[in-house]
Amino acid sequence: EALACYLRLFYVAPSPNLNIREAKAHDIFRGTKTHTTIGVVTSLMPKRIEAQQAAVRSWAAAGLSVVSVNSQLEADQLRGHFPNVAFRIVEQPVEDSFGRPLVPIQALIQAAQESFDDVCGIINSDIAFVGDPSFFDAVRREVPGSLVFGCRIDVERAGASGGNTFRNGYDFFFWER
């Protein structure tokens, strides 16, 4: 139901190879709390700094708080570039075949659980938000009892309008803390 609502609200067409349909589910008690704050967790990289700075600025402009989960070495390299980002350290990152530290998804989820925001999110570090600010109002409204997620729009250059929807995965996820 959440995905169908997202697709309707933001005119995002799913891949023609997917058979997505709305399924009626039992009502979930959504409570009466108004969600106001949204925090996102990411894992910044010590490369493509400018693209990530643009992404972080776009999140901050939308009112989101930002936490990055990194190895100690990466956090030390990144802090000067991202003074308004809180860093959480992964004591034992997993290494890829090139010896680069990777942050396990459970470390991102743990950081989100430790936040004080009403709504938590995980987002890729280079995804800049350039859409209608009411998007996050929709996230606040739709997230109770749901998972709100979606994919990015790839553009040729920063500031370009239009682009192609990335259909091979999802780039952001939001849920109630």
Side-chain angles (χ1 to χ4, degrees):
E1 188 176 325
L3 175 60
C5 181
Y6 169 82
L7 295 174
R8 281 193 310 275
L9 285 172
F10 299 98
Y11 309 104
V12 177
S15 167
N17 300 329
L18 294 178
N19 182 14
I20 297 177
R21 61 183 174 79
E22 272 190 59
K24 297 298 176 195
H26 298 289
D27 287 340
I28 298 172
F29 177 70
R30 295 177 185 255
T32 58
K33 182 177 181 191
T34 301
H35 294 302
T36 56
T37 60
I38 300 177
V40 292
V41 178
T42 192
S43 185
L44 294 166
M45 304 174 288
K47 60 182 179 179
R48 300 189 62 230
I49 298 294
E50 289 180 11
Q52 293 176 106
Q53 286 173 326
V56 170
R57 278 193 306 271
S58 75
W59 307 338
L64 282 59
S65 64
V66 182
V67 172
S68 182
V69 182
N70 294 88
S71 69
Q72 184 66 57
L73 177 63
E74 283 185 337
D76 291 343
Q77 294 171 344
L78 292 164
R79 278 192 176 96
H81 298 287
F82 299 94
N84 297 323
V85 171
F87 285 88
R88 299 287 183 271
I89 304 304
V90 172
E91 297 301 328
Q92 296 180 334
V94 178
E95 289 189 357
D96 68 8
S97 59
F98 299 104
R100 296 177 297 202
L102 300 176
V103 175
I105 187 74
Q106 58 264 45
L108 298 172
I109 293 169
Q110 178 67 36
Q113 287 175 327
E114 293 170 358
S115 91
F116 294 104
D117 293 298
D118 298 326
V119 177
C120 298
I122 294 177
I123 188 166
N124 287 354
S125 65
D126 59 351
I127 304 297
F129 175 73
V130 295
D132 185 332
S134 67
F135 171 78
F136 291 106
D137 293 334
V139 169
R140 288 178 183 94
R141 185 177 59 250
E142 298 299 327
V143 80
S146 300
L147 173 68
V148 177
F149 61 97
C151 48
R152 69 181 181 263
I153 305 294
D154 286 329
V155 294
E156 289 187 28
R157 66 187 181 294
S161 62
N164 298 311
T165 303
F166 180 76
R167 299 193 185 279
N168 295 324
Y170 298 101
D171 295 287
F172 62 85
F173 303 84
F174 292 99
W175 67 93
E176 286 179 288
R177 183 173 53 89

